[in-house]
Amino acid sequence: DGINDEAVFAFSVVLMGAGSAAQVEIYDLSGRRLRRIEERREMSAGRYEIPWDGLDDSGEVVPPGLYAVRLGLDALTEGTGVKDTHVTTTIAVAY
């Protein structure tokens, strides 16, 4: 019906890094990764809005339920004082 057909994961990155990839990974509650979405930029700092259409990596619609979402940035953080470049949260899918 075109209503609420995608989720948008919005976050800001303040850590500067050339060629770093921001990603969203969707997992079921058994820990199996269903989808990985990546966005790569020349400079990683800035605001990201990465959409997820409710599909897994094979293009199938995921069933209704609760999913773990891992948002992250693949970046070298040595010497920056940054301990973790990934955050985990949850999302519910309903039809």
Side-chain angles (χ1 to χ4, degrees):
D1 64 2
I3 300 172
N4 296 327
D5 286 343
E6 73 177 18
V8 177
F9 301 101
F11 55 97
S12 295
V13 173
V14 294
L15 179 68
M16 298 297 289
S20 297
Q23 69 270 338
V24 172
E25 295 176 314
I26 313 293
Y27 294 86
D28 64 18
L29 294 184
S30 70
R32 182 174 55 111
R33 189 177 79 194
L34 302 176
R35 181 82 183 263
R36 184 172 198 278
I37 306 165
E38 182 176 288
E39 182 177 325
R40 184 173 294 277
R41 298 180 180 176
E42 284 187 36
M43 294 301 291
S44 59
R47 182 154 175 83
Y48 288 80
E49 292 186 358
I50 300 177
W52 176 48
D53 54 9
L55 303 178
D56 63 16
D57 278 335
S58 64
E60 299 294 321
V61 176
V62 300
L66 191 61
Y67 295 87
V69 179
R70 186 171 186 245
L71 309 171
L73 182 70
D74 288 337
L76 296 173
T77 60
E78 187 175 330
T80 65
V82 174
K83 295 183 182 199
D84 194 1
T85 58
H86 293 82
V87 175
T88 302
T89 188
T90 58
I91 188 169
V93 173
Y95 303 123

